Short mmCIF file of all heavy atoms in Angstrom, two decimals:
data_model
loop_
_atom_site.label_atom_id
_atom_site.label_comp_id
_atom_site.label_asym_id
_atom_site.label_seq_id
_atom_site.Cartn_x
_atom_site.Cartn_y
_atom_site.Cartn_z
N MET A 60 -3.83 -0.16 -13.41
CA MET A 60 -5.00 -0.38 -12.71
C MET A 60 -4.84 -1.61 -11.78
O MET A 60 -5.29 -1.59 -10.65
CB MET A 60 -6.07 -0.69 -13.66
CG MET A 60 -7.43 -0.93 -13.08
SD MET A 60 -7.98 0.58 -12.23
CE MET A 60 -9.46 0.05 -11.42
N ILE A 61 -4.06 -2.55 -12.28
CA ILE A 61 -3.88 -3.86 -11.41
C ILE A 61 -2.99 -3.47 -10.24
O ILE A 61 -3.22 -4.03 -9.17
CB ILE A 61 -3.33 -5.04 -12.27
CG1 ILE A 61 -3.41 -6.29 -11.55
CG2 ILE A 61 -1.92 -4.77 -12.63
CD1 ILE A 61 -4.79 -6.89 -11.59
N ARG A 62 -2.11 -2.57 -10.40
CA ARG A 62 -1.30 -2.15 -9.37
C ARG A 62 -1.96 -1.47 -8.27
O ARG A 62 -1.82 -1.69 -6.98
CB ARG A 62 -0.10 -1.17 -9.74
CG ARG A 62 0.98 -1.86 -10.50
CD ARG A 62 2.10 -0.81 -10.85
NE ARG A 62 3.00 -1.43 -11.73
CZ ARG A 62 4.00 -0.70 -12.23
NH1 ARG A 62 4.17 0.57 -11.97
NH2 ARG A 62 4.84 -1.33 -13.10
N PHE A 63 -2.98 -0.63 -8.62
CA PHE A 63 -3.87 -0.02 -7.65
C PHE A 63 -4.61 -0.98 -6.80
O PHE A 63 -4.73 -0.81 -5.67
CB PHE A 63 -4.84 1.00 -8.38
CG PHE A 63 -5.67 1.65 -7.44
CD1 PHE A 63 -5.25 2.69 -6.61
CD2 PHE A 63 -7.02 1.44 -7.43
CE1 PHE A 63 -6.10 3.31 -5.68
CE2 PHE A 63 -7.93 2.07 -6.59
CZ PHE A 63 -7.46 3.03 -5.74
N VAL A 64 -5.20 -2.00 -7.54
CA VAL A 64 -6.02 -3.03 -6.84
C VAL A 64 -5.09 -3.82 -5.86
O VAL A 64 -5.48 -4.05 -4.70
CB VAL A 64 -6.65 -3.94 -7.92
CG1 VAL A 64 -7.33 -5.12 -7.21
CG2 VAL A 64 -7.65 -3.23 -8.74
N ILE A 65 -3.95 -4.14 -6.27
CA ILE A 65 -3.04 -4.91 -5.37
C ILE A 65 -2.63 -4.08 -4.25
O ILE A 65 -2.62 -4.55 -3.10
CB ILE A 65 -1.82 -5.44 -6.19
CG1 ILE A 65 -2.22 -6.57 -7.22
CG2 ILE A 65 -0.78 -5.99 -5.21
CD1 ILE A 65 -1.22 -6.91 -8.12
N LEU A 66 -2.38 -2.76 -4.44
CA LEU A 66 -1.95 -1.87 -3.43
C LEU A 66 -3.08 -1.64 -2.44
O LEU A 66 -2.92 -1.67 -1.18
CB LEU A 66 -1.56 -0.53 -3.97
CG LEU A 66 -1.02 0.50 -2.99
CD1 LEU A 66 0.26 -0.04 -2.27
CD2 LEU A 66 -0.77 1.83 -3.65
N ALA A 67 -4.26 -1.61 -2.93
CA ALA A 67 -5.50 -1.36 -2.05
C ALA A 67 -5.68 -2.64 -1.17
O ALA A 67 -5.98 -2.52 0.02
CB ALA A 67 -6.71 -1.12 -2.97
N VAL A 68 -5.54 -3.80 -1.75
CA VAL A 68 -5.69 -5.00 -0.95
C VAL A 68 -4.60 -5.21 0.09
O VAL A 68 -4.94 -5.52 1.20
CB VAL A 68 -5.70 -6.27 -1.96
CG1 VAL A 68 -5.59 -7.59 -1.13
CG2 VAL A 68 -6.85 -6.37 -2.85
N VAL A 69 -3.35 -4.82 -0.17
CA VAL A 69 -2.23 -4.92 0.72
C VAL A 69 -2.58 -3.80 1.87
O VAL A 69 -2.32 -4.19 3.03
CB VAL A 69 -0.91 -4.60 0.04
CG1 VAL A 69 0.15 -4.38 1.09
CG2 VAL A 69 -0.55 -5.74 -0.89
N ALA A 70 -2.99 -2.62 1.54
CA ALA A 70 -3.33 -1.63 2.49
C ALA A 70 -4.48 -2.13 3.45
O ALA A 70 -4.37 -1.93 4.70
CB ALA A 70 -3.71 -0.38 1.78
N ILE A 71 -5.42 -2.72 2.86
CA ILE A 71 -6.58 -3.08 3.72
C ILE A 71 -6.12 -4.29 4.68
O ILE A 71 -6.47 -4.34 5.82
CB ILE A 71 -7.74 -3.69 2.81
CG1 ILE A 71 -8.41 -2.50 2.12
CG2 ILE A 71 -8.77 -4.45 3.62
CD1 ILE A 71 -9.35 -2.81 1.09
N VAL A 72 -5.34 -5.18 4.13
CA VAL A 72 -4.82 -6.38 5.01
C VAL A 72 -3.82 -5.77 6.05
O VAL A 72 -4.01 -6.13 7.28
CB VAL A 72 -4.11 -7.37 4.10
CG1 VAL A 72 -3.29 -8.40 4.98
CG2 VAL A 72 -4.99 -8.14 3.16
N ALA A 73 -3.04 -4.83 5.80
CA ALA A 73 -2.24 -4.19 6.74
C ALA A 73 -3.03 -3.44 7.84
O ALA A 73 -2.76 -3.56 9.06
CB ALA A 73 -1.22 -3.23 6.13
N TRP A 74 -4.07 -2.76 7.42
CA TRP A 74 -4.92 -2.15 8.36
C TRP A 74 -5.55 -3.04 9.26
O TRP A 74 -5.68 -2.85 10.46
CB TRP A 74 -5.96 -1.27 7.59
CG TRP A 74 -6.84 -0.53 8.50
CD1 TRP A 74 -8.22 -0.99 8.77
CD2 TRP A 74 -6.67 0.57 9.40
NE1 TRP A 74 -8.76 -0.11 9.68
CE2 TRP A 74 -7.81 0.88 10.18
CE3 TRP A 74 -5.51 1.32 9.56
CZ2 TRP A 74 -7.90 1.81 11.01
CZ3 TRP A 74 -5.60 2.38 10.42
CH2 TRP A 74 -6.81 2.70 11.18
N LEU A 75 -6.06 -4.19 8.71
CA LEU A 75 -6.78 -5.21 9.57
C LEU A 75 -5.79 -5.88 10.51
O LEU A 75 -6.17 -6.08 11.73
CB LEU A 75 -7.45 -6.23 8.74
CG LEU A 75 -8.68 -5.77 7.85
CD1 LEU A 75 -9.11 -6.88 7.00
CD2 LEU A 75 -9.74 -5.31 8.82
N LEU A 76 -4.59 -6.05 10.03
CA LEU A 76 -3.59 -6.66 10.96
C LEU A 76 -3.21 -5.66 12.06
O LEU A 76 -3.03 -6.15 13.25
CB LEU A 76 -2.29 -7.07 10.21
CG LEU A 76 -2.47 -8.31 9.35
CD1 LEU A 76 -1.13 -8.48 8.58
CD2 LEU A 76 -2.67 -9.51 10.26
N LEU A 77 -3.13 -4.45 11.81
CA LEU A 77 -2.77 -3.43 12.83
C LEU A 77 -3.88 -3.30 13.83
O LEU A 77 -3.71 -3.18 14.99
CB LEU A 77 -2.48 -2.08 12.10
CG LEU A 77 -1.16 -1.95 11.57
CD1 LEU A 77 -0.97 -0.64 10.76
CD2 LEU A 77 0.04 -2.12 12.60
N LEU A 78 -5.13 -3.29 13.32
CA LEU A 78 -6.38 -3.30 14.11
C LEU A 78 -6.40 -4.43 15.11
O LEU A 78 -6.68 -4.31 16.36
CB LEU A 78 -7.61 -3.20 13.26
CG LEU A 78 -8.90 -2.89 14.04
CD1 LEU A 78 -8.83 -1.62 14.79
CD2 LEU A 78 -10.04 -2.94 13.06
N LYS A 79 -6.13 -5.67 14.54
CA LYS A 79 -6.13 -6.89 15.39
C LYS A 79 -5.02 -6.81 16.45
O LYS A 79 -5.23 -7.10 17.62
CB LYS A 79 -5.91 -8.07 14.49
CG LYS A 79 -5.88 -9.39 15.20
CD LYS A 79 -5.77 -10.59 14.32
CE LYS A 79 -5.78 -11.88 15.08
NZ LYS A 79 -5.63 -13.00 14.24
N LEU A 80 -3.85 -6.24 16.05
CA LEU A 80 -2.72 -6.18 16.96
C LEU A 80 -3.13 -5.15 18.04
O LEU A 80 -2.78 -5.44 19.32
CB LEU A 80 -1.41 -5.75 16.26
CG LEU A 80 -0.27 -5.48 17.06
CD1 LEU A 80 0.26 -6.86 17.69
CD2 LEU A 80 0.87 -4.88 16.31
N TYR A 81 -3.77 -4.07 17.74
CA TYR A 81 -4.08 -3.08 18.73
C TYR A 81 -5.06 -3.71 19.74
O TYR A 81 -4.99 -3.50 20.96
CB TYR A 81 -4.73 -1.88 18.05
CG TYR A 81 -5.34 -0.87 19.01
CD1 TYR A 81 -4.53 -0.07 19.78
CD2 TYR A 81 -6.70 -0.74 19.15
CE1 TYR A 81 -5.03 0.81 20.64
CE2 TYR A 81 -7.31 0.10 20.08
CZ TYR A 81 -6.45 0.95 20.78
OH TYR A 81 -7.02 1.81 21.71
N ARG A 82 -6.16 -4.40 19.31
CA ARG A 82 -7.04 -5.02 20.13
C ARG A 82 -6.41 -6.10 21.06
O ARG A 82 -6.74 -6.15 22.29
CB ARG A 82 -8.20 -5.70 19.32
CG ARG A 82 -9.12 -4.69 18.65
CD ARG A 82 -10.16 -5.43 17.84
NE ARG A 82 -11.02 -4.39 17.23
CZ ARG A 82 -11.91 -4.73 16.32
NH1 ARG A 82 -11.95 -5.95 15.84
NH2 ARG A 82 -12.66 -3.77 15.78
N GLN A 83 -5.48 -6.88 20.45
CA GLN A 83 -4.80 -7.83 21.33
C GLN A 83 -3.97 -7.21 22.43
O GLN A 83 -3.90 -7.60 23.63
CB GLN A 83 -3.96 -8.77 20.56
CG GLN A 83 -4.79 -9.82 19.77
CD GLN A 83 -3.98 -10.70 19.04
OE1 GLN A 83 -2.70 -10.64 18.98
NE2 GLN A 83 -4.62 -11.75 18.47
N VAL A 84 -3.27 -6.10 22.13
CA VAL A 84 -2.44 -5.38 23.05
C VAL A 84 -3.35 -4.73 24.16
O VAL A 84 -2.89 -4.71 25.29
CB VAL A 84 -1.55 -4.26 22.32
CG1 VAL A 84 -0.84 -3.37 23.33
CG2 VAL A 84 -0.47 -4.93 21.42
N ARG A 85 -4.40 -4.20 23.73
CA ARG A 85 -5.30 -3.59 24.63
C ARG A 85 -5.74 -4.67 25.71
O ARG A 85 -5.97 -4.30 26.82
CB ARG A 85 -6.53 -2.95 23.93
CG ARG A 85 -7.20 -1.88 24.78
CD ARG A 85 -8.22 -1.18 24.00
NE ARG A 85 -9.35 -2.14 23.71
CZ ARG A 85 -10.28 -1.91 22.90
NH1 ARG A 85 -10.30 -0.79 22.30
NH2 ARG A 85 -11.24 -2.84 22.71
N ARG A 86 -5.98 -5.84 25.27
CA ARG A 86 -6.50 -6.95 26.13
C ARG A 86 -5.22 -7.68 26.82
O ARG A 86 -5.59 -8.59 27.64
CB ARG A 86 -7.30 -7.97 25.36
CG ARG A 86 -8.69 -7.54 24.99
CD ARG A 86 -9.47 -8.57 24.51
NE ARG A 86 -9.88 -8.26 23.16
CZ ARG A 86 -10.10 -9.27 22.16
NH1 ARG A 86 -10.01 -10.51 22.45
NH2 ARG A 86 -10.42 -8.79 20.97
N ALA A 87 -4.18 -7.33 26.43
CA ALA A 87 -2.86 -7.97 26.90
C ALA A 87 -2.79 -9.49 26.64
O ALA A 87 -2.20 -10.26 27.30
CB ALA A 87 -2.69 -7.73 28.42
N ARG A 88 -3.42 -9.88 25.51
CA ARG A 88 -3.36 -11.22 25.00
C ARG A 88 -2.55 -11.25 23.73
O ARG A 88 -3.19 -11.12 22.70
CB ARG A 88 -4.68 -11.83 24.82
CG ARG A 88 -5.36 -12.50 25.94
CD ARG A 88 -6.59 -13.24 25.56
NE ARG A 88 -7.28 -12.73 24.34
CZ ARG A 88 -7.84 -13.43 23.44
NH1 ARG A 88 -7.86 -14.79 23.54
NH2 ARG A 88 -8.51 -12.89 22.36
N ILE A 89 -1.27 -11.21 23.75
CA ILE A 89 -0.44 -11.09 22.61
C ILE A 89 0.07 -12.50 22.16
O ILE A 89 0.67 -13.21 22.98
CB ILE A 89 0.75 -10.18 22.91
CG1 ILE A 89 0.23 -8.83 23.33
CG2 ILE A 89 1.59 -10.02 21.70
CD1 ILE A 89 1.32 -7.87 23.73
N ASP A 90 -0.12 -12.78 20.90
CA ASP A 90 0.33 -14.15 20.42
C ASP A 90 1.68 -13.79 19.65
O ASP A 90 1.72 -13.40 18.55
CB ASP A 90 -0.70 -14.65 19.45
CG ASP A 90 -0.15 -15.94 18.69
OD1 ASP A 90 0.72 -16.57 19.30
OD2 ASP A 90 -0.66 -16.25 17.67
N TRP A 91 2.79 -13.85 20.46
CA TRP A 91 4.01 -13.43 19.89
C TRP A 91 4.50 -14.44 18.78
O TRP A 91 5.33 -13.95 17.97
CB TRP A 91 5.09 -13.54 21.11
CG TRP A 91 4.83 -12.41 22.00
CD1 TRP A 91 4.51 -12.52 23.26
CD2 TRP A 91 5.05 -11.03 21.75
NE1 TRP A 91 4.27 -11.22 23.82
CE2 TRP A 91 4.75 -10.39 22.95
CE3 TRP A 91 5.50 -10.29 20.69
CZ2 TRP A 91 4.74 -8.91 22.96
CZ3 TRP A 91 5.58 -8.79 20.80
CH2 TRP A 91 5.30 -8.20 21.98
N THR A 92 4.06 -15.67 18.79
CA THR A 92 4.33 -16.55 17.65
C THR A 92 3.76 -16.03 16.34
O THR A 92 4.48 -15.92 15.36
CB THR A 92 3.79 -17.90 17.95
OG1 THR A 92 4.22 -18.42 19.15
CG2 THR A 92 4.13 -18.92 16.80
N GLY A 93 2.57 -15.54 16.33
CA GLY A 93 2.00 -15.03 15.08
C GLY A 93 2.65 -13.74 14.68
O GLY A 93 2.88 -13.53 13.53
N ILE A 94 2.93 -12.91 15.63
CA ILE A 94 3.69 -11.65 15.34
C ILE A 94 5.07 -11.90 14.82
O ILE A 94 5.50 -11.31 13.81
CB ILE A 94 3.72 -10.74 16.56
CG1 ILE A 94 2.33 -10.31 16.91
CG2 ILE A 94 4.60 -9.51 16.31
CD1 ILE A 94 2.28 -9.46 18.20
N GLY A 95 5.76 -12.95 15.32
CA GLY A 95 7.07 -13.31 14.86
C GLY A 95 7.06 -13.86 13.44
O GLY A 95 7.94 -13.56 12.66
N ILE A 96 6.04 -14.71 13.22
CA ILE A 96 5.90 -15.29 11.87
C ILE A 96 5.69 -14.17 10.84
O ILE A 96 6.19 -14.17 9.71
CB ILE A 96 4.78 -16.33 11.82
CG1 ILE A 96 5.25 -17.59 12.58
CG2 ILE A 96 4.38 -16.69 10.42
CD1 ILE A 96 4.21 -18.56 12.82
N ILE A 97 4.73 -13.21 11.15
CA ILE A 97 4.42 -12.13 10.28
C ILE A 97 5.66 -11.34 10.02
O ILE A 97 6.00 -10.98 8.78
CB ILE A 97 3.26 -11.23 10.84
CG1 ILE A 97 1.99 -12.00 10.79
CG2 ILE A 97 3.23 -9.90 9.98
CD1 ILE A 97 0.86 -11.27 11.56
N ALA A 98 6.35 -11.02 11.05
CA ALA A 98 7.67 -10.15 10.90
C ALA A 98 8.75 -10.95 10.00
O ALA A 98 9.37 -10.45 9.21
CB ALA A 98 8.25 -9.78 12.24
N GLY A 99 8.72 -12.28 10.28
CA GLY A 99 9.69 -13.17 9.48
C GLY A 99 9.37 -13.10 8.06
O GLY A 99 10.26 -13.09 7.10
N PHE A 100 8.13 -13.22 7.69
CA PHE A 100 7.68 -13.19 6.30
C PHE A 100 8.02 -11.89 5.55
O PHE A 100 8.42 -11.79 4.45
CB PHE A 100 6.14 -13.48 6.14
CG PHE A 100 5.82 -15.00 6.08
CD1 PHE A 100 5.01 -15.63 7.02
CD2 PHE A 100 6.39 -15.81 5.07
CE1 PHE A 100 4.71 -16.87 6.96
CE2 PHE A 100 6.18 -17.22 5.06
CZ PHE A 100 5.28 -17.69 5.96
N ILE A 101 7.77 -10.77 6.31
CA ILE A 101 8.05 -9.48 5.79
C ILE A 101 9.56 -9.28 5.55
O ILE A 101 10.07 -8.85 4.50
CB ILE A 101 7.47 -8.37 6.75
CG1 ILE A 101 6.00 -8.40 6.67
CG2 ILE A 101 8.06 -7.03 6.28
CD1 ILE A 101 5.38 -7.45 7.76
N ALA A 102 10.39 -9.68 6.51
CA ALA A 102 11.91 -9.65 6.40
C ALA A 102 12.31 -10.66 5.24
O ALA A 102 13.18 -10.19 4.42
CB ALA A 102 12.43 -10.11 7.72
N LEU A 103 11.70 -11.82 5.09
CA LEU A 103 12.05 -12.69 4.01
C LEU A 103 11.77 -12.07 2.67
O LEU A 103 12.49 -12.22 1.65
CB LEU A 103 11.38 -14.01 4.23
CG LEU A 103 11.63 -15.05 3.22
CD1 LEU A 103 13.15 -15.45 3.25
CD2 LEU A 103 10.81 -16.30 3.37
N ALA A 104 10.54 -11.42 2.62
CA ALA A 104 10.19 -10.75 1.34
C ALA A 104 11.16 -9.69 0.94
O ALA A 104 11.60 -9.59 -0.24
CB ALA A 104 8.80 -10.14 1.45
N PHE A 105 11.60 -8.79 1.92
CA PHE A 105 12.56 -7.88 1.55
C PHE A 105 13.95 -8.45 1.19
O PHE A 105 14.68 -7.83 0.29
CB PHE A 105 12.70 -6.80 2.71
CG PHE A 105 11.63 -5.80 2.81
CD1 PHE A 105 10.68 -5.86 3.84
CD2 PHE A 105 11.61 -4.70 1.94
CE1 PHE A 105 9.74 -4.78 3.90
CE2 PHE A 105 10.64 -3.75 1.93
CZ PHE A 105 9.68 -3.85 2.96
N TYR A 106 14.33 -9.46 1.94
CA TYR A 106 15.60 -10.10 1.63
C TYR A 106 15.57 -10.68 0.24
O TYR A 106 16.54 -10.49 -0.57
CB TYR A 106 15.89 -11.22 2.61
CG TYR A 106 17.15 -12.00 2.33
CD1 TYR A 106 18.35 -11.41 2.44
CD2 TYR A 106 16.97 -13.31 1.88
CE1 TYR A 106 19.54 -12.16 2.08
CE2 TYR A 106 18.18 -14.08 1.48
CZ TYR A 106 19.43 -13.49 1.65
OH TYR A 106 20.49 -14.22 1.30
N LEU A 107 14.51 -11.40 -0.12
CA LEU A 107 14.48 -12.07 -1.45
C LEU A 107 14.35 -10.94 -2.53
O LEU A 107 14.89 -11.17 -3.63
CB LEU A 107 13.18 -13.01 -1.50
CG LEU A 107 13.42 -14.32 -0.75
CD1 LEU A 107 12.15 -15.06 -0.76
CD2 LEU A 107 14.61 -15.07 -1.12
N ARG A 108 13.71 -9.92 -2.31
CA ARG A 108 13.73 -8.81 -3.29
C ARG A 108 15.07 -8.19 -3.49
O ARG A 108 15.45 -7.96 -4.54
CB ARG A 108 12.71 -7.77 -2.80
CG ARG A 108 12.68 -6.57 -3.83
CD ARG A 108 11.62 -5.55 -3.49
NE ARG A 108 11.81 -4.56 -4.55
CZ ARG A 108 10.90 -3.52 -4.70
NH1 ARG A 108 9.85 -3.50 -3.86
NH2 ARG A 108 11.11 -2.63 -5.54
N HIS A 109 15.83 -8.02 -2.38
CA HIS A 109 17.14 -7.53 -2.50
C HIS A 109 18.02 -8.46 -3.23
O HIS A 109 18.93 -8.21 -4.04
CB HIS A 109 17.64 -7.30 -1.08
CG HIS A 109 19.08 -6.88 -1.03
ND1 HIS A 109 19.60 -5.68 -1.55
CD2 HIS A 109 20.28 -7.59 -0.71
CE1 HIS A 109 20.94 -5.66 -1.44
NE2 HIS A 109 21.32 -6.82 -0.89
N LEU A 110 17.87 -9.85 -2.87
CA LEU A 110 18.73 -10.88 -3.46
C LEU A 110 18.50 -11.08 -4.98
O LEU A 110 19.44 -11.18 -5.78
CB LEU A 110 18.57 -12.22 -2.73
CG LEU A 110 19.43 -13.38 -2.94
CD1 LEU A 110 20.74 -13.11 -2.49
CD2 LEU A 110 18.84 -14.59 -2.41
N PHE A 111 17.26 -11.15 -5.40
CA PHE A 111 16.96 -11.38 -6.74
C PHE A 111 16.63 -10.23 -7.53
O PHE A 111 16.45 -10.27 -8.81
CB PHE A 111 15.79 -12.49 -6.81
CG PHE A 111 16.22 -13.80 -6.33
CD1 PHE A 111 15.66 -14.33 -5.14
CD2 PHE A 111 17.15 -14.61 -6.95
CE1 PHE A 111 15.98 -15.58 -4.65
CE2 PHE A 111 17.57 -15.78 -6.43
CZ PHE A 111 16.98 -16.27 -5.29
N GLY A 112 16.23 -9.03 -6.95
CA GLY A 112 15.88 -7.85 -7.67
C GLY A 112 14.61 -7.88 -8.36
O GLY A 112 14.41 -7.20 -9.35
N THR A 113 13.72 -8.69 -7.91
CA THR A 113 12.31 -8.83 -8.52
C THR A 113 11.34 -8.37 -7.42
O THR A 113 11.51 -8.31 -6.19
CB THR A 113 12.01 -10.16 -9.04
OG1 THR A 113 12.06 -11.11 -7.97
CG2 THR A 113 12.93 -10.55 -10.11
N GLY A 114 10.12 -8.09 -7.93
CA GLY A 114 8.97 -7.83 -7.00
C GLY A 114 8.68 -6.37 -6.91
O GLY A 114 9.25 -5.50 -7.39
#
């Protein structure tokens, strides 16, 4: 049950981020720093999962 709740929260956050990105692209006001930081955190999460095998 807790996995479902966590998965649901992650899905909602991802949906909101994609919606925000779509709106910014439509207005041509893109904050590349924020997008880079988000991409960096995602890459770091995958790297640390690969390195330590947890998560």
Side-chain angles (χ1 to χ4, degrees):
M60 183 66 184
I61 194 81
R62 286 185 188 175
F63 178 72
V64 172
I65 292 172
L66 183 63
V68 170
V69 169
I71 291 170
V72 169
W74 177 256
L75 291 174
L76 287 174
L77 286 173
L78 187 62
K79 182 178 178 180
L80 180 64
Y81 172 73
R82 288 180 181 165
Q83 284 184 353
V84 168
R85 203 174 66 186
R86 285 189 246 154
R88 276 192 328 146
I89 301 172
D90 178 21
W91 291 107
T92 304
I94 294 171
I96 290 172
I97 291 169
F100 275 123
I101 292 171
L103 182 64
F105 279 110
Y106 173 71
L107 289 175
R108 180 176 177 169
H109 172 73
L110 187 66
F111 295 113
T113 61

